[in-house]
Amino acid sequence: MALPDNKKFFENLSGGGKAIAVLTSGGDAQGMNAAVRAVVRMGIYVGAKVYFIHEGYQGMVDGGENIKEASWESVSSMLQVGGTVIGSARCKEFRARDGRLKAAHNLVQHGITNLCVIGGDGSLTGANLFREEWSGLLAELVEQGLIDEEAAQRYSALHIVGMVGSIDNDFCGTDMTIGTDSALHRIIEVVDAIMTTAQSHQRTFVLEVMGRHCGYLALVSALACGADWVLIPEMPPEDGWEDKMCQKLSANRAGMKRLNIIIIAEGAIDFKNKPITAGYVKDLVVRCLGFDTRVTILGHVQRGGTPSAFDRILASRMGVEAVMALLETTANTPAYVVSLCGNQSVRLPLMECVQMTQEVQKAMDEKRFEEAVKLRGRSFENNLKTYKLLAHRKPESDLPVSNFNVAVLNVGAPAAGMNAAVRSAVRVGISEGHKMFAVNDGFEGFYKGQIREIKWADVGGWTGQGGSLLGTKRTLPAKHVEKIAEQMRIHNINALLVIGGFEAVECLLQLYDARTRCEEFCIPMCMLPATISNNVPGTDLSIGADTALNAIVETCDRIKQSASGTKRRVFIIETMGGYCGYLASVGGLAAGADAAYIYEEPFDIRDLQANVEHLTDKMKTGIQRGLVLRNENSNDNYTTDFIYQLYSEEGKGVFDCRKNVLGHMQQGGAPSPFDRNFGTKIAAKAMQWITKKLTETYRQGRVFANTEDSCCLLGMRRRALVFQPVVQLKDETDFVHRIPKEQWWLKLRPLMKILAKYKTTFDVSDSGQLEHVVRIRPKDLDASTV
């Protein structure tokens, strides 16, 4: 895809003559290797020398073999490996000035003045202190005769860029830290497994997850699995919580629920700052209720295993951004930390983020818990609000009575996370006082009258279920408008929530147009994007796409592993997505693909030949495996079979070829933690919007809404969740190919090519710019982040 002439291009930047070192410090986290790989390859790509520092700060202090120059091949096959292959260690010596003096001497000997530090707030704080002391350390080295004045002048400034690797997600300034999503995968895998045995025996399970000072893992996993109770350090339970918890567990069991799940962060405390342990909670449940109760402490399982697709992409983006930040740094530049805000990479002053992180702990120590929650950021705060909204059912007598009926239905192909969204919508709707109706089989079921009231208990356990429990069809409403209007009259439907993919957009546009003929459609209507293809206009991400990406990446890992110990082999893998190349492109970045063929970026036989030659050269350097992804509709003529045969023929004598069509396995399986959480939060927000619109449009005993802004799509745009009238999305949409005209992820494609050793142009006009963590955000961004 051609880039506009007025953009700033990456080729204007040069790392020639620079030496960059990368180290991992503190606790390990899945995805650290992806960040290391990105730093090394991006650094080499721009002409810089890149060094590994093994064993973190200890290796920097010890020097010698711990500091080694990295090559392109030295980071091959590490993308899918958990932990950190360059090692991490706690280092007492570095905390003392003498230790930092040794470290400075070792760096100067290698000409290193640029550091990428991947670790937690302690590691990053140490890096910043090192940077501030640098000139003094060099002066001391000159005084001791260990370096000369010329070296001191040449290496006079040390530049630092940090990336946060921590499964706890306890660092302020970023929505997600490297490793958090993978840790959530481990937790949810365990919870899903435990729920089956707990249901069999009617048991209560108490799960302790990591999070000594931060309850993010406990909170989000509770949200993702629909836990009965969660205990986190930022918001201790009020006095008397023991009785309330037992009452809730008892009520749930009386309501035919066969299991109870309680999730505790290891740092959970009560209002007196007294620790709440898993053992205490178990004894409490046994003593008060007599329930068969078990404790599971997950421990370091959460830090192990293969990184998720999200963490690989996040770490790769951060690693590239860190190198770019080092290339642009000057003597007056502060130490940066590369962060994720919504769906964007940003650069923040490191110490502002560290100070904010320390403020959270201080607020908790001083029992200012509400302030601690706010300091954690909007994402954490919204998670907590949503959990409270869904987990704690108010007594019928305390519920508002709205007399409004809201229908919810799924449209299009099934997508993992749809059920979590339906559950959230139903429970929030009931909490708002509405009567909720479920429509089976989309608009086909609607006009056939497959509509029933759905209650709070009916959606219990839905968050972990894949597919669509309501049933979903691709049928559009245009041909059945009169019958649908009749069903809406019969059931007195006052608002509509549609969860689906591109067909859902078309459905809402047709219902909007039908308002002139049928007043039944003059009601608030909202759509939530849910499709693995991620091809819905008006949103950067759709429910289900993350689960599909993980299925693709997991399969690619297994396929590549199958070639271990065999002769050189290239795999051609076909992904779904219609005409949208999101799965192929982003899956390719996460799996370390050499190429990804998509409709949005036209290719011809010359491109195919160039890719074959590239892989041939790569194999001659000793690399054993190649990976090529192809979107199913990328080209009518250059089919998967054609590409397979071309590669097989042209690669003779160098590599052989295998092909794999992934098919509908990409639509199946249990939803990922991200999709469960995303679906849950946006459905809750949509129901609150519907309540507001119902109140605004209720006049003279009826609801009447016919303005553009009463028929909206709720999507994630850059950093915020935004309601957009569907009619305004028409100009942004290619209806023939069922894709948005502009797609943000196309900017990630050059990253995949660069990390696969292709020469390409990289547009950095949208790269992270320096921001401040404490600044007040514009009003238009005052919305929920995910």
Side-chain angles (χ1 to χ4, degrees), residues 56-175:
Y57 287 119
Q58 189 66 56
M60 195 191 295
V61 171
D62 294 342
E65 287 298 303
N66 289 303
I67 303 176
K68 290 182 180 176
E69 187 172 355
S71 67
W72 194 276
E73 291 73 27
S74 63
V75 291
S76 294
S77 303
M78 67 190 290
L79 191 58
Q80 67 271 25
V81 179
T84 165
V85 297
I86 61 173
S88 180
R90 311 283 178 185
C91 181
K92 288 184 179 179
E93 281 185 84
F94 190 77
R95 295 177 186 174
R97 185 177 172 86
D98 285 348
R100 294 192 291 275
L101 189 67
K102 290 178 186 176
H105 185 217
N106 289 327
L107 293 188
V108 170
Q109 284 183 316
H110 289 87
I112 298 168
T113 56
N114 297 278
L115 277 183
C116 279
V117 181
I118 309 166
D121 61 330
S123 302
L124 299 182
T125 302
N128 188 65
L129 176 62
F130 191 39
R131 182 187 69 91
E132 289 174 344
E133 289 183 346
W134 183 256
S135 58
L137 293 171
L138 293 193
E140 200 168 328
L141 290 171
V142 170
E143 195 176 302
Q144 293 179 13
L146 294 172
I147 64 171
D148 56 29
E149 284 286 355
E150 184 186 345
Q153 287 295 321
R154 191 183 314 144
Y155 307 122
S156 59
L158 179 68
H159 304 294
I160 302 285
V161 172
M163 288 174 273
V164 189
S166 165
I167 69 165
D168 291 342
N169 202 32
D170 56 354
F171 192 81
C172 290
T174 186
D175 289 345

Side-chain angles (χ1 to χ4, degrees), residues 35-50:
V36 170
R37 172 180 176 268
V39 170
V40 169
R41 292 196 166 177
M42 194 62 166
I44 292 172
Y45 182 84
V46 300
K49 272 190 172 184
V50 186

Side-chain angles (χ1 to χ4, degrees), residues 639-676:
T639 63
T640 302
D641 282 334
F642 177 91
I643 293 173
Y644 164 69
Q645 289 167 5
L646 176 71
Y647 273 63
S648 297
E649 180 63 29
E650 295 297 318
K652 273 183 180 177
V654 180
F655 59 82
D656 67 358
C657 235
R658 295 289 186 274
K659 66 174 179 177
N660 195 303
V661 178
L662 299 186
H664 283 76
M665 63 157 289
Q666 296 159 84
Q667 278 187 346
S672 68
F674 182 93
D675 278 330
R676 299 184 196 198

Side-chain angles (χ1 to χ4, degrees), residues 660-709:
N660 195 303
V661 178
L662 299 186
H664 283 76
M665 63 157 289
Q666 296 159 84
Q667 278 187 346
S672 68
F674 182 93
D675 278 330
R676 299 184 196 198
N677 190 21
F678 186 42
T680 297
K681 287 204 286 189
I682 66 171
K685 190 171 179 65
M687 284 308 304
Q688 290 170 330
W689 177 87
I690 283 173
T691 298
K692 181 183 174 187
K693 287 294 178 185
L694 284 168
T695 306
E696 290 175 357
T697 58
Y698 185 72
R699 298 285 184 277
Q700 299 176 341
R702 59 171 291 193
V703 173
F704 187 82
N706 66 347
T707 56
E708 286 185 1
D709 66 353

Side-chain angles (χ1 to χ4, degrees), residues 238-532:
E238 297 174 359
D239 291 342
W241 65 271
E242 293 94 339
D243 291 338
K244 288 180 182 177
M245 184 185 74
C246 289
Q247 286 169 12
K248 185 183 178 188
L249 297 179
S250 181
N252 285 348
R253 192 64 66 90
M256 303 304 291
K257 187 175 179 180
R258 293 180 60 83
L259 79 156
N260 302 110
I261 299 286
I262 302 165
I263 297 182
I264 306 178
E266 62 178 322
I269 53 174
D270 61 18
F271 258 105
K272 297 172 183 174
N273 283 345
K274 180 184 174 184
I276 300 174
T277 65
Y280 174 78
V281 174
K282 175 198 170 181
D283 294 342
L284 176 69
V285 174
V286 171
R287 185 175 70 252
C288 296
L289 300 175
F291 289 171
D292 186 3
T293 307
R294 298 286 190 275
V295 170
T296 299
I297 298 174
L298 298 189
H300 284 73
V301 164
Q302 297 155 86
R303 275 165 58 169
T306 301
S308 66
F310 183 98
D311 271 329
R312 298 186 199 193
I313 295 158
L314 173 66
S316 297
R317 290 177 70 183
M318 283 186 167
V320 169
E321 182 69 33
V323 172
M324 287 163 55
L326 287 173
L327 293 180
E328 295 173 350
T329 196
T330 66
N332 299 320
T333 304
Y336 289 136
V337 62
V338 179
S339 300
L340 181 75
C341 184
N343 198 29
Q344 283 190 293
S345 292
V346 297
R347 299 175 196 170
L348 298 171
L350 171 59
M351 291 315 295
E352 283 187 18
C353 296
V354 169
Q355 286 160 12
M356 184 72 80
T357 304
Q358 292 169 348
E359 277 296 317
V360 178
Q361 189 59 50
K362 186 179 177 184
M364 287 160 58
D365 291 341
E366 295 174 359
K367 302 183 182 179
R368 294 179 282 116
F369 295 111
E370 287 188 10
E371 188 178 336
V373 169
K374 288 186 183 299
L375 288 169
R376 280 274 181 239
R378 288 179 302 172
S379 180
F380 187 94
E381 192 175 6
N382 288 325
N383 281 319
L384 184 57
K385 285 178 181 176
T386 307
Y387 177 78
K388 288 180 176 178
L389 203 58
L390 295 171
H392 302 293
R393 185 181 182 183
K394 295 177 183 176
E396 296 284 343
S397 56
D398 292 347
L399 289 174
V401 181
S402 71
N403 295 319
F404 292 128
N405 295 343
V406 181
V408 58
L409 68 159
N410 296 334
V411 174
M418 276 182 164
N419 298 320
V422 172
R423 170 186 175 270
S424 175
V426 167
R427 291 196 168 179
V428 173
I430 291 171
S431 296
E432 300 276 341
H434 309 318
K435 191 178 281 188
M436 298 299 295
F437 287 83
V439 182
N440 296 111
D441 297 335
F443 281 103
E444 186 175 312
F446 211 135
Y447 80 79
K448 290 179 179 178
Q450 295 172 209
I451 304 168
R452 60 185 172 84
E453 187 178 354
I454 188 165
K455 300 292 185 78
W456 185 282
D458 295 337
V459 292
W462 278 34
T463 52
Q465 299 291 315
S468 167
L469 293 175
L470 288 184
T472 181
K473 294 283 180 72
R474 296 181 185 273
T475 307
L476 300 180
K479 295 179 181 178
H480 312 284
V481 162
E482 300 296 338
K483 290 181 179 178
I484 293 170
E486 182 184 352
Q487 290 297 330
M488 293 182 77
R489 283 195 299 274
I490 291 170
H491 296 279
N492 189 28
I493 302 299
N494 307 117
L496 206 57
L497 179 65
V498 181
I499 303 168
F502 197 90
E503 292 90 351
V505 176
E506 295 176 304
C507 289
L508 251 64
L509 285 170
Q510 291 178 4
L511 294 181
Y512 180 83
D513 291 340
R515 281 177 168 180
T516 55
R517 288 176 286 146
C518 304
E519 286 192 355
E520 287 79 6
F521 300 116
C522 293
I523 59 173
M525 293 185 281
C526 186
M527 176 203 155
L528 303 180
T531 168
I532 69 165

